[in-house]
Amino acid sequence: MLVHDMILRKLQLHSDLGETEIAALRALPATERALVVHEDVVRQGDKPNVSAVVLEGMLGRYHTVASGRRQYLSFHIPGDMPDSQAMFIDVMDHALCAMSAARIALVPHASLRTLFKQCPPAGFAVWRETLVDAAIFRAAITNNSACAPRARLAHFFCEQYYRARAGGHAKQGACALPLTQIQLGETLGISLPSVSRALQQLRQTRAIEFERGRLEVRDWARLAAIGEFDPTYLHLSKVKRL
Amino acid sequence: MLVHDMILRKLQLHSDLGETEIAALRALPATERALVVHEDVVRQGDKPNVSAVVLEGMLGRYHTVASGRRQYLSFHIPGDMPDSQAMFIDVMDHALCAMSAARIALVPHASLRTLFKQCPPAGFAVWRETLVDAAIFRAAITNNSACAPRARLAHFFCEQYYRARAGGHAKQGACALPLTQIQLGETLGISLPSVSRALQQLRQTRAIEFERGRLEVRDWARLAAIGEFDPTYLHLSKVKRL
DNA sequence: CGCATTCTTGACACCAGTCAACGTTAGTGG
DNA sequence: CCACTAACGTTGACTGGTGTCAAGAATGCG
């Protein structure tokens, strides 16, 4: 089944898996599900007993603050497990939704826990996955707290493109990024006009092109410089650097 | 040894441990080390082979941005394992330093990995710990990106006090918080004068008192309201709520 | 006691947020 | 296929909050 290939390929970007682990991971049960744009997979306060694996499209995690404003936390592409944390933390402190039409596979927590008990190295690989997740959150804290709008946007584009590329989802210097400028603002903690202005500055430097949910990186070195991007935190050392 | 009691008490705040796991955790080797203020435990780029457990004092994790400015990511009190992630991620993407004089215990990664292989439930408990860590980072993203200075400060105080209290480190409505206003600014993404002004606003509402590295919560309900604080994300359901 | 760090306060400039209008695009249904 | 509508993007005017700079006061440490 496709799901298992996706999980394995993703884990093998940072973990060495033996025959035993691969076989055990392949035995995981999974059910597929299609999502329409904006559809929530889980909401704040839910206690899911399955975790999702992205097969197609893009998913996003977000908080909702009292004012009603959303704060997006991270975005997930095919191969990612956006709510793997729910295996060991019962109640969701954030929500997960589809940023575009998407397909996911759902894996029961019980199966995962059994797998990890019987085959700890497989668990370590998924654990590592959740730790990289945390590293991405840390980078977001710094980006949103210590950088100017243009740098925030540049850093965000770098990260998304780098991750898409590592997963094999970038073609000819471009990748899918189905976000509106409002959503970019709700990710980076800046207003819509600021996003618009920062975008135009980046376009003017010929570093990127961004339209209709597609990001094209034209000058990686310049973009990385503007965004002060260092991919170390993504821990994809097995992937060829840009 | 004291170290093991601290670890166990911390893990038991959210995980049920059996006799076997407790015995296995107690068998972990550890060496103590004293730290002076501002001393770094590990730096960005390091590849440590031990993880720290805080015994006394406060430790902080931080990024350094190109301008030289620091961005603090989280703070850790006795019982915490601030760099447990290093067990499965080789290179440090951030640094760890002592915010006050402190004492830590160092546990070899090799021992931890062996323990988790032989006793998966013990690993699950530590894994859960790292997942709560990630939840705290998510909360910081939202706090620093979507809230005004006063609310940021209030939320931060709520979190620190709540965690201190859960760990048994709060007395008479007060806990240690050995940070200068500059460091608060480097945590919340605001300038020193903004911290000073926000602090005075909070004092005026009689919600808190803060001086000489000591935080006193005088009106929890008000502070929580200003900071829009909901402790769910700390996943300390076994702890009595405020 | 004296120096260094920390905190407070003020003046000022400027960036970024809000509001608003307009132009464009995309999607829907007739 | 076209028309309509809603969503999205761009731009401008205006305002206010926040950063920067700077001076002075208070605190703590040696």
Side-chain angles (χ1 to χ4, degrees):
Chain A
M1 203 180 179
L2 183 63
V3 193
H4 303 99
D5 292 328
M6 308 223 59
I7 297 177
L8 286 170
R9 197 170 59 170
K10 187 77 197 304
L11 296 178
Q12 286 174 331
L13 289 179
H14 52 65
S15 298
D16 290 313
L17 299 173
E19 295 292 331
T20 324
E21 290 87 50
I22 292 176
L25 282 160
R26 281 201 180 281
L28 282 173
T31 59
E32 288 199 24
R33 182 175 155 195
L35 302 169
V36 298
V37 203
H38 301 148
E39 185 176 351
D40 279 325
V41 179
V42 279
R43 294 207 171 83
Q44 218 160 318
D46 283 358
K47 297 184 175 183
N49 51 19
V50 292
S51 275
V53 178
V54 185
L55 300 178
E56 271 180 44
M58 176 169 271
L59 267 60
R61 303 204 244 179
Y62 66 92
H63 278 158
T64 308
V65 295
S67 66
R69 179 189 181 284
R70 274 191 188 187
Q71 174 64 47
Y72 286 100
L73 302 162
S74 62
F75 298 102
H76 299 273
I77 56 180
D80 287 358
M81 293 189 65
D83 58 349
S84 46
Q85 43 120 61
M87 286 179 293
F88 292 111
I89 287 190
D90 55 345
V91 51
M92 292 289 295
D93 56 71
H94 62 278
L96 177 64
C97 72
M99 309 307 297
S100 66
R103 272 193 324 122
I104 59 175
L106 296 171
V107 185
H109 290 158
S111 313
L112 288 164
R113 279 190 286 255
T114 304
L115 164 65
F116 301 156
K117 263 185 197 162
Q118 290 167 354
C119 181
F124 295 169
V126 178
W127 191 343
R128 185 170 288 123
E129 192 76 13
T130 65
L131 292 174
V132 172
D133 237 57
I136 292 174
F137 291 136
R138 286 193 290 271
I141 293 175
T142 299
N143 195 38
N144 287 11
S145 304
C147 300
R150 193 184 23 160
R152 290 190 201 184
L153 198 56
H155 184 99
F156 178 72
F157 283 156
C158 284
E159 180 184 306
Q160 296 305 317
Y161 178 69
Y162 199 95
R163 286 173 53 205
R165 191 172 151 281
H169 306 296
K171 279 170 190 133
Q172 296 157 8
C175 68
L177 192 60
L179 304 178
T180 68
Q181 293 191 8
I182 294 179
Q183 291 165 337
L184 284 174
E186 289 173 336
T187 305
L188 301 169
I190 53 183
S191 67
L192 168 60
S194 288
V195 173
S196 189
R197 285 185 265 263
L199 253 177
Q200 287 169 50
Q201 290 176 26
L202 289 182
R203 281 198 263 251
Q204 275 170 16
T205 63
R206 307 206 172 282
I208 57 129
E209 203 41 69
F210 177 73
E211 53 176 3
R212 282 173 231 147
R214 184 173 160 278
L215 169 68
E216 184 185 342
V217 177
R218 296 202 166 159
D219 188 336
W220 172 260
R222 186 171 291 164
L223 187 65
I226 297 173
E228 292 183 24
F229 184 74
D230 174 357
T232 309
Y233 73 97
L234 294 173
H235 300 283
L236 293 166
S237 53
K238 293 187 179 181
V239 178
K240 190 175 56 178
R241 295 255 164 150
L242 276 161
Chain B
M1 203 178 178
L2 182 63
V3 193
H4 302 101
D5 291 328
M6 306 223 60
I7 297 176
L8 286 170
R9 196 170 59 171
K10 187 76 195 302
L11 295 179
Q12 286 174 330
L13 288 179
H14 51 65
S15 297
D16 289 314
L17 298 173
E19 295 290 330
T20 326
E21 290 88 48
I22 291 176
L25 281 161
R26 281 201 179 281
L28 281 173
T31 59
E32 287 199 24
R33 182 176 154 193
L35 302 170
V36 299
V37 204
H38 300 149
E39 186 175 349
D40 279 325
V41 179
V42 280
R43 295 207 169 84
Q44 217 161 319
D46 283 358
K47 296 184 175 183
N49 52 21
V50 291
S51 275
V53 178
V54 184
L55 299 178
E56 271 180 43
M58 177 169 271
L59 267 59
R61 303 205 245 178
Y62 66 92
H63 278 157
T64 308
V65 296
S67 67
R69 180 190 180 283
R70 274 189 188 188
Q71 174 64 48
Y72 286 100
L73 302 163
S74 62
F75 299 103
H76 299 274
I77 58 180
D80 287 357
M81 293 188 65
D83 58 349
S84 46
Q85 42 120 61
M87 284 179 294
F88 292 111
I89 287 190
D90 55 345
V91 50
M92 292 290 293
D93 56 71
H94 62 278
L96 176 65
C97 72
M99 309 308 296
S100 67
R103 272 194 325 121
I104 60 176
L106 297 171
V107 185
H109 290 159
S111 312
L112 289 164
R113 279 190 286 255
T114 304
L115 163 66
F116 300 157
K117 263 185 196 160
Q118 290 166 354
C119 180
F124 294 169
V126 178
W127 190 345
R128 186 171 289 123
E129 192 76 15
T130 65
L131 292 174
V132 172
D133 238 58
I136 292 175
F137 291 136
R138 287 192 290 272
I141 293 175
T142 299
N143 195 38
N144 288 10
S145 304
C147 301
R150 194 182 23 156
R152 291 190 200 183
L153 198 55
H155 183 99
F156 178 72
F157 283 156
C158 284
E159 179 184 306
Q160 296 307 316
Y161 178 69
Y162 199 94
R163 287 173 53 204
R165 190 173 151 280
H169 307 296
K171 278 168 192 136
Q172 297 158 7
C175 68
L177 191 60
L179 303 178
T180 68
Q181 294 191 9
I182 294 180
Q183 291 165 338
L184 284 173
E186 290 174 336
T187 304
L188 302 170
I190 53 184
S191 67
L192 168 60
S194 288
V195 173
S196 189
R197 284 186 265 262
L199 252 177
Q200 286 169 51
Q201 290 176 25
L202 290 182
R203 279 198 263 252
Q204 275 171 18
T205 64
R206 307 206 174 282
I208 57 129
E209 203 42 69
F210 178 73
E211 53 177 1
R212 282 174 232 146
R214 184 175 161 277
L215 170 68
E216 184 184 342
V217 177
R218 296 201 167 160
D219 188 337
W220 172 260
R222 185 172 291 164
L223 188 64
I226 296 173
E228 291 183 25
F229 183 75
D230 174 357
T232 309
Y233 72 98
L234 294 174
H235 300 283
L236 293 166
S237 52
K238 294 189 178 181
V239 179
K240 190 175 53 177
R241 296 252 163 151
L242 274 161

